[in-house]
């Protein structure tokens, strides 16, 4: 059974940091791309970042560049999203997802067929 468990969300002040984790099981981790997406109230789900465990490529949305860093630990079957310099507009439910992408990498949401349950990030003073 495929499982993705996102964790690490919480309440943080503007300028603060959080590290999200995505524990994966039930599929060959090294053939998959792990993506992070978020959805704010009243808005569509948007891609934030993704990392290909197959080729090691990373991609970031413009909103994440310079502030967020994605990583992956194949030994632990876990992906991470380090978020720094958080802003109130980063407030959203953050989801991790997995896409079968052996030998290539794309953050397009249409590729991702396995999803975690989401973790809430609130940036507020």
């Amino acid at each position: 059974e495929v499982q993705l468990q996102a964790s690490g969300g919480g309440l943080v002040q503007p300028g603060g940091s959080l590290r999200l984790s995505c524990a994966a099981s039930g599929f060959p981790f090294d053939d998959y791309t792990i993506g992070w997406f978020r959805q704010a109230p009243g808005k569509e789900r948007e891609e934030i970042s993704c990392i290909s465990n197959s080729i090691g490529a990373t991609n970031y949305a413009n909103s994440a560049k310079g502030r967020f860093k994605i990583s992956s630990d194949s030994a632990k079957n876990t992906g991470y999203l380090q978020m720094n310099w958080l802003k109130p507009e980063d407030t959203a439910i953050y989801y991790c997802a997995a896409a079968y992408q052996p030998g290539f990498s794309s953050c397009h949401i249409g590729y991702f067929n396995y999803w975690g349950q989401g973790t809430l990030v609130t940036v507020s003073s």
Side-chain angles (χ1 to χ4, degrees):
E1 179 187 4
V2 171
Q3 288 191 341
L4 291 168
Q5 182 73 33
S7 62
L11 174 64
V12 63
Q13 292 186 342
S17 298
L18 283 174
R19 189 176 82 152
L20 306 183
S21 298
C22 177
S25 62
F27 60 89
F29 193 74
D30 288 348
D31 287 335
Y32 277 70
T33 292
I34 300 299
W36 287 95
F37 300 80
R38 70 185 182 189
Q39 188 165 18
K43 294 188 177 181
E44 293 187 354
R45 193 170 297 189
E46 62 174 345
E47 65 187 49
I48 298 301
S49 182
C50 66
I51 181 168
S52 166
N53 292 320
S54 174
I55 63 175
T58 59
N59 292 281
Y60 295 90
N62 287 336
S63 60
K65 288 179 181 177
R67 299 189 300 128
F68 296 179
K69 181 175 175 61
I70 194 170
S71 62
S72 181
D73 186 337
S74 292
K76 297 181 179 180
N77 279 12
T78 300
Y80 304 95
L81 184 68
Q82 177 67 42
M83 304 188 297
N84 302 319
W85 298 106
L86 284 161
K87 305 174 183 179
E89 51 264 44
D90 293 319
T91 295
I93 298 175
Y94 284 69
Y95 298 90
C96 65
Y100 181 60
Q101 296 184 348
F104 73 101
S105 176
S106 172
C107 281
H108 191 280
I109 194 170
Y111 280 105
F112 291 83
N113 54 335
Y114 297 134
W115 290 83
Q117 84 290 0
T119 184
L120 177 63
V121 172
T122 303
V123 185
S124 175
S125 56

